């Protein structure tokens, strides 16, 4: 007696489904063992198995990892750096951060009074603020930082102070550039041309002087508040 190809296929499919049903029953049994206290993990745990991810209603992503430590580390990352500087306004991202921080020159002292530490900075792709405080001081430290970086308006007096300090640092840094550093600047400018990677994160004297309050205001609303 001979069977057609379709009949052979149907028989093979029945065998596969039968095997799948047996496997599902075994998996269900493992689940029952878990409820009874006999746990057989299918995937071995890793150091990052307890990492938790969540999102607030405004889209802010939270990634937390709980450990037994005497201090809490927290990093606020704004996903925009000097890559988003306006044309002819190189250094805008850096100056925006400086203007927001200039509102409260005692920020580091206030965090240190909570027995904590804070640092900040930026690169082409991101602007960041890093906190490290005792667990009981985290909420207060976050409130202090929030008052600095989430504002409805950028104070013009703070911008002027930040702009003056920024220009002074640029002049001092330019005077100390080594021949190798100057060669690097020329190389990146030739390689990337008009692309932001061809410019420095801090900008130069000419572009920083052209930044006005409206530029910083728009940058803060577009990236920080968003």
């Amino acid at each position: 007696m001979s069977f057609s190809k379709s009949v052979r296929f149907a028989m093979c499919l029945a065998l596969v489904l039968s095997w799948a049903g047996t496997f599902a029953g075994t998996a269900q049994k493992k689940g029952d063992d878990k409820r009874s206290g006999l746990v057989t993990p299918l995937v071995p745990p890793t150091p990052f198995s307890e990492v938790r991810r969540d999102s607030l209603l405004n889209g802010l992503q939270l990634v937390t990892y709980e450990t037994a430590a005497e201090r809490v580390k927290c990093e606020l990352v704004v996903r925009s750096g000097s890559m988003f500087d306006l044309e002819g306004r190189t250094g805008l991202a850096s100056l925006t951060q400086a203007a927001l921080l200039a509102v409260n020159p005692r920020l580091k002292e206030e965090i240190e009074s909570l027995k904590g530490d804070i640092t900040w900075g930026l690169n082409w792709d991101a602007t960041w603020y890093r906190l490290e405080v005792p667990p009981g001081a985290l909420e207060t430290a976050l409130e202090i930082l929030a008052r600095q970086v989430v504002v409805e308006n950028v104070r013009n007096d703070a911008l002027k102070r930040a702009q003056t300090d920024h220009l002074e640092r640029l002049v001092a840094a330019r005077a100390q550039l080594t021949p190798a550093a100057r060669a690097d600047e020329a190389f990146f400018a030739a390689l990337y041309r008009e692309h932001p990677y061809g410019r420095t994160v801090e900008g130069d004297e000419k572009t920083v002087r052209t930044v006005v309050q409206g530029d910083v205001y728009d940058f803060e609303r577009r990236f920080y508040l968003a």
Side-chain angles (χ1 to χ4, degrees), residues 98-150:
L100 294 173
L101 293 171
V103 174
N104 181 12
R106 299 185 64 254
L107 174 62
K108 288 186 70 71
E109 296 177 19
E110 292 184 7
I111 299 299
E112 289 172 356
S113 70
L114 300 173
K115 298 182 179 179
D117 184 46
I118 183 171
T119 56
W120 54 79
L122 79 160
N123 52 33
W124 282 281
D125 305 308
T127 305
W128 49 266
Y129 303 83
R130 293 174 184 149
L131 279 172
E132 184 174 344
V133 293
L138 178 61
E139 184 175 354
T140 302
L142 287 176
E143 289 178 357
I144 294 173
L145 179 59
R147 288 197 298 267
Q148 298 283 133
V149 301
V150 183

